[in-house]
């Protein structure tokens, strides 16, 4: 187990360097003019331009710039965004709301998707199964660009239960956007749970458990559930990473000052240091989430062992 | 045992979700105790020398009071200044009102302005508004052409302190509109507390100053700038100017105007300065009387590369102009959020006249077609635009009108970025007609003429040159009074109507709305809510 962890951590370093390199070179390859982008349609004086170019090292060759960036990163220095703020400050401010939002979304997915999936699998073919199938298909069919403003209009303006925007980032305000975000993966989680559960219900060990005289509750709650969780955990792990990457649309509609919000602005203003900084953090989050998912497999299925 | 561990995981998120729903504290209650909330975007900077976008400028207008402001006729009058006077338009004497203090109690004196302007103008400080001081003597020494050389001079030679409340500004050449410039953010003062050592040359700004700027304005900052969330200001009790009618302002920060508008509809936000275009069709029903429009300073136009033989004849340009139905585009594409332009100078400046473009901008398709063919206009034309600015729709609409009315082939050619477009124009590549926009720096006719059409103008991308025009603008800048200057500028504008180096298309409008909690909402020349006029309903 320990050796496996070390091996994975070493792999993660390689993946991290490779991904940051790709992102850095992509930002470099867009070849825009970040200084002009910052100024909008206004003229930038040559003096000012030269000063900024020197400050951000835009005149140096690509590999030198990447090396400087990477070595700064290893010392915990994310560099400065083009507006002069420390990228690490921006990340520190953007992460908490996004983590909260992702947590609410994941909880929604688990609470609704997994529970409903299990019930649907147990009462396969019944009215509940069919009704949820139709309902989830409808939800999955509405794109977030419609769903989010619609929910905002209904639940914050027409029937004011929730605050309209989550600018301050307090938890209650994040509830509605979190649920909306989670609703998108509810359908997938539900179908996945239902399929996996149905399959396991037919397997030999379930029959054995039943014939042994175990209560239905124990058979379903322990034997079937545990063995059905592997695909769901895989899905949720990846989903959590994706949610952390910032739901650009949801964060935009509800004005959540999170990662997606900042990433969008950084891309629009060609703020390469900020984009690369945010993406680097996201890469780490993805890697850690994946590692946790892999470790969970061993917990769920004793046949899986990591050496 | 395994089972119990698993059960614990399932229980954990569930209990977390219960805790979440329990802590319903409610959202912002922005407008209690006479506090008004005004939506902004995240400012880039909060510093006189570096703030040039409208969000930052809005906050700065609360924190700082300029030397002069503008009356209903857009003419300057003194605010923080006692008087701004000159005899030759070259040396200006600025006398300050005495007894004014910054929010930290420091007196506002001649040094406050001199230090601030010196800091802004010093090249290595790379301040965005540095170019506003180009006309002050000594600016060139602070901004050497080779940017990697540290300038030898550290201060503007044109700024001289006379006594505590008086200083003089010497310009490198006479400029009658200098007083008009002084209302802009770039000319705000800075307290000694802004600098690490107020006696040092060059001055070095304290690194955290922008997080909680200290100004001389009607409001002082409450706490610090909470990035991406909000900036709050409260009334400054010792303010010597006209006291505002509200206790403070909360500036929540929005990423997009849709979210801002939703908050206004829910009555959580008091003022939205820019109603999103998507919502303009429903805004009358949503807000009724609370939706307002006022002229803004922006000016959109189509420019001709006059060096291109296809467009070198004014007759060709005039025919194209007459084939464009400006009103139709404003209505269909912009939902009346902008106004059709028939002049070269915006309605927000003194000296503006309606329809200076005359017959050349009137929509006369039949006449245009005959004239276009007689002048031998090109069969294929294109309009180049930057794809990142939302221009595709109106460019395509304009092209369709030209196709229908002139019988030519017309296509819109997108360039990825505005900078790419300018680069191509500067390299004199075949771009056809191209779109440009202009936002004034200071409310003077000169600002709509000099930089755009003078032979050496900084934004003259179309190679237009008319010595008579240059002379008139120069004479205007050297005129003894503002009225005389305006006369010269108007004559210069009339030349443009004959030569048509560009076609005026649209003037910007402020499309703003407010909640039921406030009244007297007005937007000033620089697209800022006037904080001295707004009051609680």
């Amino acid at each position: 187990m320990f050796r496996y962890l070390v091996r994975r951590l070493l792999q993660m370093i390689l993946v991290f360097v490779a991904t940051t390199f790709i992102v850095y070179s992509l930002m470099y390859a867009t070849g825009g003019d970040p200084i002009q982008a910052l100024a909008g349609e206004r003229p930038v004086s040559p003096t000012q331009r030269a000063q900024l170019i020197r400050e951000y090292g835009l005149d140096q060759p690509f590999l030198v710039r990447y090396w400087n960036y990477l070595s700064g990163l290893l010392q915990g220095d994310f560099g400065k965004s083009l507006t002069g703020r420390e990228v690490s400050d921006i990340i520190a401010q953007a992460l908490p709301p996004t983590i909260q939002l992702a947590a609410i979304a994941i909880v929604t997915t688990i609470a609704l998707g997994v529970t409903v999936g299990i019930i649907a699998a147990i009462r396969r073919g019944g009215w509940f199964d069919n009704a949820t199938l139709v309902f989830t298909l409808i939800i999955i069919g509405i794109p977030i660009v419609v769903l989010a403003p619609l929910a905002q209009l209904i639940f914050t303006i027409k029937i004011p239960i929730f605050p309209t925007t989550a600018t301050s980032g307090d938890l209650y305000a994040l509830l509605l956007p979190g649920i909306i975000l989670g609703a998108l993966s509810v359908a997938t989680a539900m179908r996945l749970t239902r399929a996996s559960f149905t399959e396991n219900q037919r397997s030999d060990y379930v029959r054995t458990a039943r014939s042994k005289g175990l209560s239905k509750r124990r058979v379903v709650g322990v034997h079937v559930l545990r063995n059905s969780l592997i695909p769901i955990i895989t899905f949720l792990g990846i989903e959590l990473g994706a949610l952390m990457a910032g739901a650009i649309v949801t964060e935009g509609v509800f004005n959540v000052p999170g990662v997606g919000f900042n990433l969008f602005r950084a891309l629009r203003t060609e703020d390469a240091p900020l984009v690369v900084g945010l993406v680097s953090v996201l890469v780490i989050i993805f890697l850690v989430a994946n590692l946790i998912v892999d470790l969970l497999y061993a917990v769920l299925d004793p046949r899986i062992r990591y050496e | 045992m395994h089972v119990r561990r698993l059960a614990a995981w399932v229980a954990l998120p569930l209990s977390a979700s219960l805790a979440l729903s329990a802590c319903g504290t409610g959202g912002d209650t922005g407008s209690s105790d006479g506090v008004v909330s005004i939506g902004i975007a995240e400012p880039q900077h909060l510093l006189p020398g570096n703030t040039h976008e409208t969000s930052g400028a809005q906050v700065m207008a609360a924190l700082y009071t300029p030397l002069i402001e503008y009356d209903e006729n857009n003419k300057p009058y003194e605010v923080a200044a006692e008087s701004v006077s000159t005899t030759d338009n070259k040396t200006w004497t600025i006398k300050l009102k005495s007894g004014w203090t910054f929010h930290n109690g420091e007196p506002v004196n001649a040094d406050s302005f001199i230090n601030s302007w010196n800091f802004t103008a010093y090249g290595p400080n790379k301040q965005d508004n540095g170019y506003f001081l180009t006309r002050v003597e000594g600016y060139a020494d602070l901004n050497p052409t080779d940017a990697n050389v540290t300038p030898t001079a550290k201060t503007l030679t044109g700024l001289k302190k006379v006594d505590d409340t008086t200083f003089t500004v010497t310009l490198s050449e006479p400029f009658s509109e200098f007083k008009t410039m002084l209302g802009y953010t770039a000319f705000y003062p800075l307290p000694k507390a802004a600098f690490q050592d107020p006696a040092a040359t060059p001055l070095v700004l304290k690194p955290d100053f922008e997080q909680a700027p200290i100004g001389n304005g009607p409001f002082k900052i409450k706490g610090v700038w909470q990035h991406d969330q909000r900036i709050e200001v409260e009334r400054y009790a010792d303010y010597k100017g006209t006291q505002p009618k509200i206790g403070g302002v909360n500036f929540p920060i929005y990423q997009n105007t849709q979210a801002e508008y939703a908050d206004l509809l829910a009555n959580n936000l008091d003022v939205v300065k820019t109603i999103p275009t998507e919502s303009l069709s429903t805004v009358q029903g949503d807000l009724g009387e609370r939706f307002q429009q006022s002229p803004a300073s922006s000016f959109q136009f189509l420019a001709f590369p006059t060096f291109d033989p296809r467009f070198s004849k004014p007759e060709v340009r005039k025919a194209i102009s007459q084939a464009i139905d400006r009103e139709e585009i404003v209505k269909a594409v912009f939902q009346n959020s902008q106004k059709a332009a028939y002049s070269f100078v915006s309605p927000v400046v003194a000296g503006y006249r309606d329809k200076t473009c005359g017959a050349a901008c009137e929509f006369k398709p039949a006449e245009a077609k005959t004239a276009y063919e007689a002048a031998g206009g090109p069969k294929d034309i294109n309009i180049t635009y930057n794809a990142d600015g939302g221009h595709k729709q109106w460019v395509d609409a304009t092209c369709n009108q030209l196709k229908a009315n002139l019988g030519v082939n017309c296509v819109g050619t997108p360039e990825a970025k505005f900078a790419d477009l300018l680069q191509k124009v500067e390299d004199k590549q075949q771009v056809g007609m191209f779109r440009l926009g202009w936002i004034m720096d200071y409310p003077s006719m000169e600002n709509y003429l000099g930089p755009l059409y003078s032979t050496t103008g900084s934004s003259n991308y179309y190679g237009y040159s008319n010595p008579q025009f240059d002379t008139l603008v120069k004479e205007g800048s050297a005129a003894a009074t503002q009225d005389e200057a305006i006369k010269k500028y108007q004559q210069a504008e009339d030349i443009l109507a004959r030569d048509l180096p560009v076609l005026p298309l649209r003037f910007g409008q402020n499309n703003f709305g407010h909640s039921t909690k406030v009244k007297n909402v007005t937007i000033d020349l620089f697209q800022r809510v006037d904080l001295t006029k707004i009051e609680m309903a």
Side-chain angles (χ1 to χ4, degrees), chain A residues 284-306:
Chain A
I284 295 175
I285 291 172
F286 255 98
L287 291 173
V288 172
N290 264 316
L291 180 64
I292 293 175
V293 166
D294 281 353
L295 293 179
L296 276 179
Y297 288 165
V299 179
L300 288 171
D301 188 343
R303 283 169 301 183
I304 301 175
R305 295 215 182 279
Y306 294 117

Side-chain angles (χ1 to χ4, degrees), chain A residues 38 41-42 48 50-51 55 83 85 107 164-165 167-168 171 226 252-253 255 261-262 264-265 270 296, chain B residues 9 17 20 42 44-45 126 128 131 147 227-230 253-256 259 263 266 268 417 435:
Chain A
L38 194 65
E41 298 190 0
R42 300 160 52 90
Q48 200 191 357
Q51 292 290 344
E55 184 172 326
T83 50
R85 279 179 74 198
V107 169
T164 315
T165 53
T167 316
S168 56
L171 259 182
R226 188 158 155 211
V253 169
N255 205 44
F261 181 111
N262 276 292
F264 181 62
R265 186 174 54 206
E270 293 175 46
L296 276 179
Chain B
W9 292 341
S17 74
L20 290 183
E42 166 86 356
Q44 287 180 357
H45 289 281
K126 50 187 190 310
D128 280 345
Y131 70 95
H227 289 278
D228 292 336
Q229 295 192 2
R230 80 182 75 83
I253 295 169
Y254 291 90
Q255 170 177 238
N256 66 35
D263 251 348
N268 296 331
K417 300 272 158 45
R435 73 139 294 258

